[in-house]
Amino acid sequence: FDTVSIGQSLTTSNNYTVNIGSSNTVNGIVSLCIGAFSTVTGTLNFGFGSDNFLTGTKNIGIGLRVYSSFSDTIGIGKLLLSNANGASIIGYGVSTANRLTNSTADSLALGWNTTTPQHLFKSDGVNLTMPTSATGLSSGDLWNDGGTVKIV
C-alpha cells in the first residue's frame, strides 16, 4: 500500500500514510503528518505543526508540542497533553514541562498559560472559572457572586 514522503529526514511506513516536512516519523494506518520533528503513529492520526506526538487512534494535533497517546482527542494550540480518551484541548500551556493537561474523558478543556483547564465542558456538566467581582467586566459578562452567577 502506498506511502508518500516529501521533505528531508523523514521516516514513513505502514499503509496509506503521508509525511510532509522535516524530521518526522509517521508509522500509522491512514495517518498524516505535516510539519517538523513530530511522531504520528497508530490509526487515523493527523498531526500539523511542530514537535507533536500522537499515538492511539483518531487523534488530531494542530500546533506546537501537542501530545496524545489516547484515542478520539483533538488538541489545538501549544504545549498540550490529552491524558484520557476523548480529552480534547484548546489553548496553551506554560512550558514543555508544564503542559495544559486534560485528564477528563469525553470532554473539552480550555486554558491559556496554565497547566489546568480554566473551563471544562463535560458530558455531564460544565466547569467554568469566573471572576468573583464585576470590576473591569463589560456588559454581558458573567461573574460569580458567592455562588450565584450574575450578568453585568
Side-chain angles (χ1 to χ4, degrees), residues 60-75:
I60 298 172
I62 301 172
L64 173 67
R65 296 192 175 125
V66 177
Y67 295 85
S68 178
S69 59
F70 289 86
S71 296
D72 303 307
T73 67
I74 298 172

Side-chain angles (χ1 to χ4, degrees), residues 2-25:
D2 290 339
T3 63
V4 176
S5 296
I6 302 171
Q8 61 185 7
S9 301
L10 301 174
T11 302
T12 308
S13 59
N14 228 323
N15 300 333
Y16 308 113
T17 58
V18 177
N19 191 351
I20 301 172
S22 176
S23 302
N24 295 322
T25 298

Side-chain angles (χ1 to χ4, degrees), residues 1 11 15 29 31-32 41 47 59 79 85 90 96 126-127 148:
F1 299 107
T11 302
N15 300 333
I29 299 171
S31 292
L32 167 69
T41 64
N59 296 302
L79 308 170
N85 289 333
I90 299 174
T96 300
V126 176
N127 293 341
T148 302

Side-chain angles (χ1 to χ4, degrees), residues 10-121:
L10 301 174
T11 302
T12 308
S13 59
N14 228 323
N15 300 333
Y16 308 113
T17 58
V18 177
N19 191 351
I20 301 172
S22 176
S23 302
N24 295 322
T25 298
V26 179
N27 180 17
I29 299 171
V30 189
S31 292
L32 167 69
C33 183
I34 300 174
F37 308 105
S38 295
T39 298
V40 176
T41 64
T43 302
L44 294 169
N45 289 319
F46 302 94
F48 306 91
S50 180
D51 296 298
N52 295 320
F53 183 82
L54 304 172
T55 64
T57 304
K58 297 181 283 185
N59 296 302
I60 298 172
I62 301 172
L64 173 67
R65 296 192 175 125
V66 177
Y67 295 85
S68 178
S69 59
F70 289 86
S71 296
D72 303 307
T73 67
I74 298 172
I76 302 172
K78 67 178 181 177
L79 308 170
L80 307 177
L81 174 61
S82 292
N83 227 6
N85 289 333
S88 295
I89 311 173
I90 299 174
Y92 62 91
V94 178
S95 66
T96 300
N98 297 294
R99 298 182 197 105
L100 172 58
T101 301
N102 184 0
S103 298
T104 302
D106 302 320
S107 67
L108 170 62
L110 305 176
W112 296 268
N113 200 32
T114 183
T115 59
T116 58
Q118 293 159 318
H119 309 295
L120 185 64
F121 299 86

